[in-house]
Amino acid sequence: MGKITGFMEIERQAEAYEAPPARLKHYREFVLRLSDKQASQQGARCMDCGIPFCNNGCPVNNIIPDFNDLVYQQDWRNALAVLHSTNNFPEFTGRICPAPCEAACTLGINRDPVGIKSIEHAIIDKAWENGWVQPQPAAQKTGKKVAIIGSGPAGLAAAQQLARAGHAVTVFEKNDRIGGLLRYGIPDFKMEKNHIDRRVQQLEQEGVVFKTSTLVGDWPTQTTVTNLAKQQISVTELQAEFDAIILAGGAEQPRDLNTPGRELSGIHFAMEFLPQQNRVNAGDSLPAQLLATGKHVIVIGGGDTGSDCVGTSNRQGAQSVTQFELMPQPPAQENKALTWPYWPLKLRTSSSHEEGCQRDWAITTKRFEGKNGRVTAVVTARVEWQKDPQTGQMTMSEVPDSEQHWPADLVLLAMGFVAPVGSVLGAFGVDTDARGNARAATDNGPEGKLAYATNVPNVFAAGDMRRGQSLVVWAIREGRQCARAVDEFLMGCSTLPR
């Protein structure tokens, strides 16, 4: 702890944003990182609380008080070393993680929490600008070969850890560029893709081999991510060539809305809409791009993916954007005495909402209406939520005479993802849980079964493939932990951090 009274003297300094009228004209990032002085002052607010709940609030267990203090002292190189000791890609989390660490900050009980995410953002951006992020190839090779299926944050984290342990790692990606849902699910205005590209270059210099446009197993029967795979590799070939295999694909099977009129054109999953704009930003030509330009857009789903649809629609020049959420509107301020240090339920307004959006809660979609085969309106009704006195579960009932018609030229379904696409899991014969995810425990089990190991010998699973739709920071955690399990499987023991 650098400044003993810092938390009493210094207020939280939020990162600045480019004004909405300006940022709506482009797809670049618009968040301005803290200056060195601002980051130092923010680090000084860390209050030596005795038990740093922020560490447990962070899924990768970042050593937050340490790098806060180092930034306060302006020791940026050591702050980077501390940050990288737990997190392979802080430039990803510093941009798109919702910061559960800040919800767990002890200072946040009665004041604004420390701006941990903004400090992390400042550390890693300064490190890249000064050339401090360098490849760390293994001094010795083990002769073992590992295949990783999926190049999202879980796959990339596992690849880097295993390559640094001396294994020969090959990452297979069905799309034409590396990054998984980071590449084609996150809009560029939230995270520009050069952050992925330079990490890929680093991993290549550390010995990782990337094979894009390559599908493992059978062609999926349902996926919303544009599949550009040009070649196919069988499970038998992989198992013959590699000593261990990690399944680290994303959760791409979207939750559908089986409502009358669903067959009308103009109704699309969010992950049909968002990747197209990312491809265009990357220089691809899409003559039939799905656009919101001049349209009344309805976004169904109140989470982050829905927010991304709002921001992209506004940048494309939508005539109006409306977002529906089935659950009631959360309170503006959580009851910290009941929720801290856990992630609270409260009203969250994203930067995309601030750019222009009508939001509505406790509303259900009854049907879609259309003309000449195209959607023209969404018909909704209000709902009430009540707790069942016997089971304690919340139940929903429709409010009588509450139907409402909303004009709609484009409807985007952003209600989350139910499971990874089953074709890869099925091709390997991996057992799944009740939600369709790969069945694998996060801790070592009986009879020597290792963490993240599936029922198939030599095959492991991590990230969304194992836990379902989740945060980038959880994917990095699972990729790192799975890498340690694979290293232990290959070598009998492991020095990789868990």
Side-chain angles (χ1 to χ4, degrees), residues 197-277:
D197 296 336
R198 62 189 181 188
R199 280 296 183 182
V200 169
Q201 292 175 5
Q202 181 195 28
L203 266 66
E204 287 176 333
Q205 292 170 354
E206 293 175 347
V208 177
V209 175
F210 292 96
K211 293 191 176 182
T212 57
S213 301
T214 303
L215 183 76
V216 174
D218 301 322
W219 293 98
T221 56
Q222 182 183 18
T223 178
T224 56
V225 174
T226 305
N227 196 324
L228 296 181
K230 297 178 181 177
Q231 55 187 341
Q232 206 169 353
I233 185 168
S234 71
V235 169
T236 303
E237 290 176 273
L238 278 183
Q239 290 176 324
E241 183 179 352
F242 294 92
D243 300 295
I245 300 168
I246 298 176
L247 307 181
E252 297 177 5
Q253 199 160 307
R255 182 174 284 105
D256 206 344
L257 188 62
N258 295 318
T259 302
R262 173 66 179 86
E263 74 284 354
L264 293 167
S265 64
I267 304 172
H268 301 270
F269 291 116
M271 289 303 297
E272 294 176 271
F273 174 68
L274 295 173
Q276 292 191 8
Q277 187 59 59

Side-chain angles (χ1 to χ4, degrees), residues 188-472:
D188 287 4
F189 56 80
K190 288 178 67 174
M191 191 186 84
E192 294 177 21
K193 303 308 177 270
N194 65 299
H195 303 298
I196 302 173
D197 296 336
R198 62 189 181 188
R199 280 296 183 182
V200 169
Q201 292 175 5
Q202 181 195 28
L203 266 66
E204 287 176 333
Q205 292 170 354
E206 293 175 347
V208 177
V209 175
F210 292 96
K211 293 191 176 182
T212 57
S213 301
T214 303
L215 183 76
V216 174
D218 301 322
W219 293 98
T221 56
Q222 182 183 18
T223 178
T224 56
V225 174
T226 305
N227 196 324
L228 296 181
K230 297 178 181 177
Q231 55 187 341
Q232 206 169 353
I233 185 168
S234 71
V235 169
T236 303
E237 290 176 273
L238 278 183
Q239 290 176 324
E241 183 179 352
F242 294 92
D243 300 295
I245 300 168
I246 298 176
L247 307 181
E252 297 177 5
Q253 199 160 307
R255 182 174 284 105
D256 206 344
L257 188 62
N258 295 318
T259 302
R262 173 66 179 86
E263 74 284 354
L264 293 167
S265 64
I267 304 172
H268 301 270
F269 291 116
M271 289 303 297
E272 294 176 271
F273 174 68
L274 295 173
Q276 292 191 8
Q277 187 59 59
N278 285 9
R279 290 189 180 280
V280 171
N281 294 346
D284 292 353
S285 177
L286 294 180
Q289 181 185 358
L290 181 61
L291 290 169
T293 310
K295 297 177 180 177
H296 294 290
V297 179
I298 301 289
V299 179
I300 300 178
D304 288 341
T305 303
S307 171
D308 294 343
C309 290
V310 170
T312 302
S313 296
N314 279 326
R315 281 163 177 76
Q316 291 179 354
Q319 185 171 345
S320 69
V321 182
T322 305
Q323 184 178 25
F324 295 150
E325 170 56 52
L326 183 65
M327 300 303 293
Q329 181 173 345
Q333 182 63 51
E334 76 274 25
N335 186 333
K336 292 188 178 182
L338 292 178
T339 60
W340 181 90
Y342 301 108
W343 184 250
L345 176 66
K346 68 176 183 179
L347 180 63
R348 302 177 193 278
T349 299
S350 73
S351 58
S352 292
H353 295 140
E354 293 170 350
E355 292 163 359
C357 173
Q358 180 179 350
R359 305 164 74 186
D360 215 330
W361 288 267
I363 190 167
T364 185
T365 303
K366 297 203 67 175
R367 64 184 180 274
F368 301 107
E369 295 182 347
K371 185 176 181 181
N372 299 324
R374 286 199 59 85
V375 67
T376 57
V378 177
V379 180
T380 65
R382 299 285 166 187
V383 295
E384 289 181 339
W385 290 88
Q386 294 179 329
K387 183 179 287 188
D388 188 306
Q390 308 238 334
T391 66
Q393 294 182 327
M394 298 298 292
T395 59
M396 181 184 76
S397 60
E398 184 177 322
V399 176
D401 302 320
S402 63
E403 278 197 8
Q404 189 172 355
H405 284 66
W406 305 77
D409 306 304
L410 175 63
V411 178
L412 300 173
L413 306 180
M415 302 172 294
F417 301 86
V418 295
V421 176
S423 59
V424 173
L425 297 178
F428 279 93
V430 170
D431 287 345
T432 57
D433 61 19
R435 297 186 300 154
N437 304 319
R439 189 184 298 278
T442 56
D443 294 305
N444 292 346
E447 300 178 357
K449 185 172 183 179
L450 291 169
Y452 295 94
T454 70
N455 62 297
V456 181
N458 304 10
V459 177
F460 296 74
D464 287 5
M465 188 73 78
R466 192 203 68 82
R467 66 181 291 118
Q469 177 192 7
S470 192
L471 305 176
V472 61

Side-chain angles (χ1 to χ4, degrees), residues 23 49 161 226 240 244 285 302 404 490:
R23 70 189 192 228
C49 57
Q161 295 296 97
T226 305
S285 177
Q404 189 172 355
L490 296 173

Side-chain angles (χ1 to χ4, degrees), residues 22-80:
R23 70 189 192 228
L24 281 173
K25 297 177 181 178
H26 62 76
Y27 290 89
R28 300 185 304 275
E29 291 178 14
F30 54 82
V31 178
L32 309 176
R33 82 163 194 252
L34 300 180
S35 67
D36 289 4
K37 181 179 179 181
Q38 289 171 331
S40 175
Q41 291 178 329
Q42 198 58 214
R45 298 182 72 235
C46 194
M47 59 183 295
D48 193 18
C49 57
I51 299 176
F53 289 90
C54 56
N55 286 27
N56 285 336
C58 172
V60 294
N61 301 122
N62 276 338
I63 311 170
I64 293 165
D66 292 47
F67 69 62
N68 282 346
D69 179 55
L70 289 165
V71 168
Y72 167 69
Q73 303 289 351
Q74 294 287 285
D75 188 351
W76 293 91
R77 291 294 294 267
N78 278 322
L80 175 68

Side-chain angles (χ1 to χ4, degrees), residues 457-491:
N458 304 10
V459 177
F460 296 74
D464 287 5
M465 188 73 78
R466 192 203 68 82
R467 66 181 291 118
Q469 177 192 7
S470 192
L471 305 176
V472 61
V473 69
W474 275 107
I476 293 172
R477 171 197 173 112
E478 294 218 347
R480 288 171 62 89
Q481 292 188 344
C482 184
R484 178 186 168 88
V486 170
D487 188 38
E488 185 177 348
F489 166 73
L490 296 173
M491 308 302 294

Side-chain angles (χ1 to χ4, degrees), residues 120-131:
E120 181 177 340
H121 184 186
I123 293 170
I124 189 59
D125 278 16
K126 188 176 184 69
W128 278 108
E129 290 169 3
N130 287 277

